[in-house]
Amino acid sequence: LMVVVTPAITAGALGHEKESDTLLALFGTGLTSAQIVIEKFIARFTVLCQALVIVAPILTYLALVGGMPPLRFALAIAQILAVTFALAGVCMLCSVWTRRTSDALLGCYSAMIIVALIDQVYTAYAPWPAWLNPFAMLDEILNSGRKFRAATIVYHVAIFLVIGLLCLVVSVYRLRPAALRQGEQRSGKWLWAFRRPIGEDSIRWREQHVFGVAALPWLRAIPRSLALFGTAAFALILVGTAIDSSIARSFFPFLRAGMWSEAFATLVNVNYDRVISELMVQGMALLVIGGVTVAARSLNSVTEEKRRKTWDDLAITPRSVNEILSSKRRGIFDAALPHAMVYAVPMVLMSVLAGWSGLLICVGWLLAAVVAFYFLSLFFMPMDVSREPTRPRSKPVVNTTGTRENWEYWERA
């Protein structure tokens, strides 16, 4: 839990200052770079420690009931704090090097996933040293039936503390040069290479690129690249679980052992019926989860405009209500289509194991999902929407001569 939460809390320590243009204002004060970095780090690390303090009584009670020696429990807490300290230092360094909070979050979580994949695939034959693997060291500390080596634990805690301190030193040294350089440079052209220009249909563009397919407002704070990465990770987890549970159970053990030829030989001799059944499950998951998301997003589209008090601005435009709703529907469909395409890549790769029949079934499910997205965005888009402004009418205001009346919402218009 601490490993997962640490980037979300620490990676945006400096990103919010850069996005709101207040970091340069801090440079104009008497604060040094060390004070800015260290004080922000201490504030975020304190929040992380609060999460550990909340569960500490429960963990202490369970440790006492389970008969765990107090020394082992204290060492486990110290090891968790050391790993959290190192990870928070790395996240602070990412916050210095990146310009936006979303980039820092994406970099931290991507690095964690890459390290986890390397640990699962490449280090099974040659595992990490004991003083570098935090999970193995925590297991050794908490296992009462195993004698822990005090020197190894000291090395382990010391190396993570050194990693965190080195990251903080580099963050202090590079804060001002990196912030000044990022303030002057413009975003790279490649960031906009795959984004369609606004064109004449600005409502459609806004629904696709600003609101996206997220039905809840707080989910829209997640960058689009990170959301697509999450969809791809979900699809890969489904494919990996299917291969490990029913298709080729020896694939991952051979892969972890470094026996590449034996691992891929298990994929050649698979049961086609199991592959097709797993394809049916993945296609149904895409159809249900994606369909519910598109339907909820369409149903909440106009309500979200009224909540943001932007529906009145759309209502006074020359476009009719049907044209506005049609543009919103097409924008929602355009936002859902990239997620379906990203989800389809692992699914198509697994369908190759079943030959042409599996590929046809996979394509059929993907087409069915795309068609369902289109019609769900059409059917769940509200149609009985009035063009009248949503502001309540006030009492008529009569001037001193009593010759005319002015309504408040007409004055605002």
Side-chain angles (χ1 to χ4, degrees):
L1 179 63
M2 298 295 289
V3 169
V4 172
V5 172
T6 298
I9 295 178
T10 313
L14 296 171
H16 296 298
E17 300 286 351
K18 295 177 183 179
E19 292 174 354
S20 57
D21 294 331
T22 55
L23 186 59
L24 297 179
L26 290 178
F27 291 158
T29 62
L31 297 175
T32 62
S33 299
Q35 289 176 325
I36 295 174
V37 172
I38 293 176
E39 290 180 7
K40 281 187 168 292
F41 176 82
I42 292 175
R44 300 303 175 100
F45 188 71
T46 303
V47 175
L48 292 171
C49 292
Q50 290 176 358
L52 187 60
V53 169
I54 292 174
V55 299
I58 301 175
L59 293 178
T60 305
Y61 174 75
L62 293 176
L64 294 175
V65 172
M68 180 177 294
L71 178 60
R72 287 182 178 269
F73 181 74
L75 288 175
I77 297 297
Q79 190 260 356
I80 292 173
L81 289 175
V83 174
T84 305
F85 179 83
L87 186 57
V90 174
C91 295
M92 182 64 68
L93 184 58
C94 291
S95 182
V96 171
W97 279 343
T98 55
R99 187 176 183 180
R100 298 182 301 176
T101 304
S102 59
D103 296 337
L105 284 172
L106 182 61
C108 293
Y109 283 114
S110 300
M112 291 169 56
I113 292 174
I114 291 173
V115 171
L117 292 176
I118 293 175
D119 178 68
Q120 291 293 323
V121 177
Y122 294 102
T123 62
Y125 187 73
W128 297 98
W131 49 273
L132 278 180
N133 193 336
F135 298 102
M137 182 57 62
L138 183 62
D139 180 69
E140 181 178 350
I141 294 174
L142 296 178
N143 193 348
S144 301
R146 184 186 306 175
K147 292 183 179 181
F148 64 87
R149 295 163 291 180
T152 304
I153 297 175
V154 171
Y155 294 152
H156 175 79
V157 174
I159 193 65
F160 278 97
L161 291 178
V162 169
I163 291 173
L165 290 175
L166 287 177
C167 291
L168 289 179
V169 171
V170 177
S171 300
V172 171
Y173 178 73
R174 295 298 304 169
L175 176 62
R176 290 179 183 268
L180 294 176
R181 185 184 70 253
Q182 293 164 1
E184 296 175 355
Q185 70 182 6
R186 300 180 62 183
S187 300
K189 187 178 179 180
W190 66 272
L191 291 175
W192 313 98
F194 300 101
R195 177 174 289 185
R196 181 169 53 87
I198 296 178
E200 297 181 357
D201 197 349
S202 58
I203 299 176
R204 179 179 180 180
W205 185 92
R206 178 168 170 263
E207 290 291 329
Q208 179 182 359
H209 297 289
V210 178
F211 289 156
V213 76
L216 300 177
W218 61 272
L219 289 175
R220 293 170 195 152
I222 301 175
R224 185 185 180 189
S225 57
L226 188 60
L228 292 174
F229 181 79
T231 303
F234 176 70
L236 288 174
I237 290 173
L238 289 181
V239 171
T241 304
I243 292 176
D244 188 53
S245 61
S246 60
I247 297 177
R249 299 182 178 180
S250 302
F251 176 74
F252 288 106
F254 283 138
L255 199 64
R256 295 190 187 99
M259 305 170 65
W260 299 91
S261 58
E262 289 80 358
F264 287 102
T266 58
L267 294 178
V268 176
N269 302 319
V270 297
N271 191 343
Y272 293 165
D273 295 335
R274 292 180 179 177
V275 176
I276 292 175
S277 63
E278 294 295 337
L279 286 174
M280 300 286 285
V281 172
Q282 294 181 21
M284 185 64 68
L286 174 62
L287 187 62
V288 173
I289 298 177
V292 170
T293 303
V294 171
R297 176 69 180 85
S298 302
L299 189 63
N300 194 37
S301 178
V302 177
T303 306
E304 180 67 17
E305 295 285 355
K306 294 181 179 180
R307 186 187 68 84
R308 298 166 65 96
K309 298 181 180 179
T310 54
W311 177 252
D312 295 345
D313 300 329
L314 294 177
I316 63 176
T317 59
R319 306 189 65 180
S320 64
V321 175
N322 291 331
E323 291 176 347
I324 294 173
L325 296 179
S326 178
S327 297
K328 294 176 74 67
R329 176 182 57 80
R330 290 196 298 267
I332 295 172
F333 177 76
D334 293 340
L337 197 58
H339 290 272
M341 296 172 62
V342 169
Y343 183 92
V345 174
M347 190 174 174
V348 171
L349 293 177
M350 194 183 73
S351 67
V352 176
L353 300 177
W356 288 104
S357 59
L359 188 60
L360 291 176
I361 292 175
C362 177
V363 172
W365 274 107
L366 294 176
L367 291 177
V370 171
V371 173
F373 293 168
Y374 179 81
F375 284 102
L376 286 173
S377 64
L378 177 64
F379 292 151
F380 282 89
M381 181 66 66
M383 293 300 176
D384 53 343
V385 181
S386 175
R387 292 180 62 93
E388 293 296 329
T390 57
R391 300 187 183 98
R393 291 184 176 183
S394 62
K395 295 182 179 180
V397 179
V398 184
N399 60 6
T400 55
T401 59
T403 56
R404 62 173 182 169
E405 295 179 349
N406 294 324
W407 295 86
E408 181 183 353
Y409 76 98
W410 286 120
E411 291 176 349
R412 292 182 181 179

